[in-house]
Amino acid sequence: MTSAPGPVDQPHPAPGAVHTASADGGTGPGGFDSGGFGPAGSGPAAAGPGGFGPGGFGPGGSGPEGWPTTPPGGYPAPEPDRLTRFVLRLYERSPRWAVPLAAVGCVAIGMSYALLSNPTYADPDAAPTCLLKLTTGLDCPGCGGTRALWYVLHADLPAAARHHFLFVFALPFLAYLFVAWAGNQAFGWRLPELRISSKVIGGFLAAWLAFSVLRNLPWAPFTSLYV
């Protein structure tokens, strides 16, 4: 008595051979769909451009079945008010040198105020005054800046540093940044860019905070920083 022949092993592909899917998109060995990733019928039938399936997320696909082909529309941008429209219209129609000229005018007004008011002889409660110093007697982080500017304009750097050391230290950098920006905007100058990292800015702000605290301490030598 002879037994029924057992299942015939499927031939293994030769080394280096490329497995090709059947034309009818049927299942391959192991129950996997010839054009998909999982069991029969569970994966995309074919690969689209860029190697992504027609139901995938890449080029040539419109998203999984049942998903919208395009993202829903967002909220409309708010309409600018009249003042904003006026400023934007004025900026677009103004010549390229108008904005730097306006900035130079603001700087000139500040210098003129320091020169004309002579803050070195002003009373502590003279208007305009620092509200923090007027109410508490403490120097604020900016106290002494106007007097330091007055001394700088009179070429007295030691007296300027005595009233606000950090302002005198930062003034050359601020002046260069302003000249580079204004020259580029108005005349197209390409001055070397001054790169200031966030760590440098953070260190300067920390030094400013420490300076603001030390100048209010009632012990020597910190009393020499009080203005």
Side-chain angles (χ1 to χ4, degrees):
M1 180 178 180
T2 60
S3 60
V8 179
D9 294 337
Q10 297 181 358
H12 295 283
V18 179
H19 176 72
T20 57
S22 60
D24 58 353
T27 58
F32 287 86
D33 187 79
S34 60
F37 305 104
S42 64
F52 294 89
F57 302 96
S62 59
E65 184 178 357
W67 285 28
T69 56
T70 57
Y75 293 101
E79 292 292 334
D81 55 87
R82 293 182 178 180
L83 179 61
T84 304
R85 290 198 300 268
F86 171 76
V87 173
L88 292 177
R89 205 162 43 240
L90 184 64
Y91 177 78
E92 292 173 355
R93 297 178 180 178
S94 61
R96 59 184 301 177
W97 47 262
V99 175
L101 182 62
V104 170
C106 294
V107 173
I109 290 175
M111 291 182 176
S112 301
Y113 169 77
L115 289 173
L116 297 175
S117 63
N118 193 359
T120 58
Y121 291 101
D123 295 331
D125 57 348
T129 187
C130 175
L131 295 179
L132 179 65
K133 189 164 187 176
L134 184 63
T135 55
T136 64
L138 300 176
D139 282 344
C140 77
C143 275
T146 308
R147 283 166 281 180
L149 177 60
W150 190 90
Y151 284 114
V152 167
L153 295 176
H154 287 81
D156 192 350
L157 294 182
R162 156 71 180 82
H163 284 82
H164 206 298
F165 171 76
L166 288 182
F167 171 76
V168 177
F169 172 79
L171 191 58
F173 300 97
L174 296 176
Y176 180 83
L177 289 174
F178 178 79
V179 170
W181 170 79
N184 185 22
Q185 291 290 324
F187 309 109
W189 295 348
R190 296 294 182 181
L191 297 178
E193 185 179 356
L194 182 62
R195 298 182 179 273
I196 303 178
S197 64
S198 57
K199 293 182 178 180
V200 173
I201 296 177
F204 177 78
L205 294 177
W208 193 359
L209 177 61
F211 173 75
S212 304
V213 173
L214 294 177
R215 70 192 310 194
N216 288 292
L217 297 179
W219 310 293
F222 307 114
T223 51
S224 60
L225 302 175
Y226 184 80
V227 293

